[in-house]
Amino acid sequence: MSHDACSLLGKSWYDYENFHIDWSQDTDRYEVVRRLGGGKYSEVFEGIDTVTSDRCVIKVLKPVAPKKIKREIKVLRNLCGLPSPNVIGLLDVVQSRGNPSLVMEYVENVEWKRLFPRLTAPEIQYYTSQLLLALSAVHDVGIIHRDIKPANIMIDVKQRKLRLIDWGLAEFYHPNVDYHIRVGSRYYKAPELLVGYKRYDYSLDMWSVGCMFASMIFRKEHFFRGSDNDDQLLKIMKTLGTEEFDSYLKTYNIHFETEIDSLLINYPKQPWTRFITAENRHLASSDALDLLGKLLRYDHHERLTSKEAEAHPYFNSIRLEASGKTDSASDSGFGST
Ligand SMILES: Brc1nc2nc[nH]c2c(Br)c1Br
């Protein structure tokens, strides 16, 4: 599926380089309360909007890549304009002490490393469906997130609210364009990034969804945990097998050279049932394993799209609930965005 949303939506949608950022001037409107985190490109704080006295998040962007700053603001502005469910809301764009800062809606987030091991089967279904809802909307308007991972998914358990954050690596999809492969976070990098195949698309995000889904249903913090990019590919090959890796390379005429002996060994494809333990048996249903097997494919064109994944039988029990067709007491509301 390479529907060309960006050319349909027009230059004003995707041309972020000629996009003028009108920084709002009331720089002292937002006060910093505490530091939430930070990285190469930004420092993130909890803040207070002194006008509304609402809590907010202030993401102070480091002046490393001005083009990247424009892209992130353009993406967030585009997405806030649309009814794109479960995407973090952009409230303001201010220059505080010379640094451009994004003010976003606050989420009473439960740290995923603590939350994930406690999620019940219905909660895994619900939050995965909420993530797919966000990606379906975003992919439909020509945007790839490119850094899907648990740390970029804020979940407020009390309000059963999920928000996809950190659009700093997001890009606009255009057919027949080569993209950078040094994107994403190692454990969630798709095979195309690891073998250097640049002609990727929205399906890049669907691999990462598969990695997250596997970590939730198998209760494994990171399902493919490589020590470097080569080891990351090795971990994937030891599960998906060498045979399908080789046919993937052939399909796309990818020349993958390596001196790593372990990458040259023939690994058998493992059945997903191989990862079931007494501890995760109640989560790894046959529907869950079927869905997983349709997301974690080497060949990105074989992976389910976000919409196709939403329609998978794994979500039936919460889909029926949403339409009120079942009278099951289990609280697993669906579609409340
Ligand atoms: Br955006 C955003 N980024 C964060 N980093 C840590 N916690 C965060 C929250 Br809550 C939001 Br909302």
Side-chain angles (χ1 to χ4, degrees):
M1 169 199 74
S2 68
H3 66 263
D4 189 2
C6 283
S7 66
L8 289 175
L9 289 160
K11 203 165 183 310
S12 65
W13 178 261
Y14 61 79
D15 176 14
Y16 59 87
E17 291 168 67
N18 299 314
F19 162 62
H20 171 72
I21 302 169
D22 50 334
W23 307 98
S24 77
Q25 294 319 314
D26 51 354
T27 51
D28 46 10
R29 168 166 177 172
Y30 306 99
E31 281 170 14
V32 167
V33 167
R34 66 187 170 110
R35 186 174 180 279
L36 288 173
K40 200 167 31 174
Y41 299 107
S42 64
E43 288 288 306
V44 182
F45 303 90
E46 179 185 337
I48 287 280
D49 176 346
T50 55
V51 168
T52 64
S53 64
D54 288 335
R55 283 197 294 186
C56 61
V57 162
I58 303 163
K59 182 173 179 181
V60 182
L61 300 169
K62 294 176 182 169
V64 260
K67 219 174 100 178
K68 185 178 174 298
I69 292 176
K70 281 198 161 191
R71 187 180 64 188
E72 180 169 5
I73 295 172
K74 182 67 178 164
V75 165
L76 281 168
R77 277 264 168 82
N78 283 355
L79 295 178
C80 289
L82 293 172
S84 29
N86 301 341
V87 170
I88 197 71
L90 177 68
L91 307 177
D92 208 345
V93 181
V94 297
Q95 284 264 18
S96 62
R97 289 190 293 283
N99 286 323
S101 302
L102 309 180
V103 182
M104 289 170 284
E105 72 171 295
Y106 182 80
V107 177
E108 188 66 53
N109 174 52
V110 177
E111 222 271 314
W112 69 274
K113 281 197 175 112
R114 285 186 51 247
L115 173 65
F116 277 30
R118 291 168 178 73
L119 290 174
T120 61
E123 283 173 321
I124 293 174
Q125 278 177 311
Y126 172 73
Y127 289 117
T128 304
S129 68
Q130 292 295 302
L131 172 60
L132 292 171
L133 219 53
L135 285 174
S136 296
V138 164
H139 292 167
D140 262 357
V141 292
I143 292 167
I144 317 173
H145 184 281
R146 300 205 299 181
D147 196 14
I148 297 292
K149 60 178 176 178
N152 284 339
I153 291 163
M154 297 289 114
I155 291 179
D156 175 340
V157 187
K158 284 194 207 73
Q159 298 187 46
R160 288 169 68 80
K161 181 166 84 170
L162 176 143
R163 291 291 181 271
L164 197 39
I165 70 164
D166 200 342
W167 297 83
L169 281 176
E171 239 322 343
F172 291 93
Y173 172 71
H174 301 279
N176 312 315
V177 160
D178 282 351
Y179 288 96
H180 293 301
I181 52 169
R182 290 174 62 86
V183 294
S185 302
R186 189 189 313 139
Y187 306 147
Y188 301 84
K189 283 181 187 237
E192 50 269 35
L193 301 181
L194 300 168
V195 297
Y197 182 75
K198 300 183 174 188
R199 192 65 56 92
Y200 56 77
D201 58 40
Y202 309 102
S203 51
L204 185 81
D205 288 338
M206 299 315 292
W207 173 272
S208 309
V209 169
C211 295
M212 262 193 59
F213 187 59
S215 76
M216 288 193 275
I217 63 170
F218 292 129
R219 285 260 166 96
K220 190 169 179 246
E221 188 160 294
H222 301 290
F223 188 65
F224 296 123
R225 192 188 186 111
S227 54
D228 57 42
N229 283 349
D230 283 323
D231 189 48
Q232 189 63 29
L233 186 57
L234 180 64
K235 293 287 190 296
I236 294 168
M237 286 172 72
K238 285 182 172 178
T239 298
L240 296 190
T242 304
E243 192 181 334
E244 290 180 17
F245 179 68
D246 291 344
S247 53
Y248 163 61
L249 295 180
K250 216 185 348 264
T251 304
Y252 294 92
N253 194 23
I254 298 167
H255 301 289
F256 175 71
E257 269 90 34
T258 178
E259 285 84 45
I260 320 270
D261 298 345
S262 53
L263 278 171
L264 299 168
I265 294 171
N266 270 314
Y267 299 103
K269 179 179 170 64
Q270 298 297 328
W272 294 111
T273 47
R274 176 102 159 50
F275 304 98
I276 294 176
T277 66
E279 203 238 342
N280 64 36
R281 182 179 311 285
H282 64 296
L283 304 171
S285 64
S286 54
D287 273 340
L289 299 190
D290 185 75
L291 172 57
L292 184 64
K294 290 169 177 163
L295 291 170
L296 293 182
R297 293 289 177 88
Y298 288 116
D299 184 339
H300 48 289
H301 288 154
E302 283 182 18
R303 291 172 209 151
L304 293 181
T305 65
S306 198
K307 273 197 184 56
E308 287 165 347
E310 284 179 69
H312 190 278
Y314 169 73
F315 298 106
N316 280 355
S317 59
I318 59 173
R319 198 183 348 265
L320 294 175
E321 176 82 8
S323 53
K325 286 206 182 81
T326 60
D327 55 0
S328 68
S330 77
D331 164 35
S332 59
F334 170 70
S336 60
T337 52

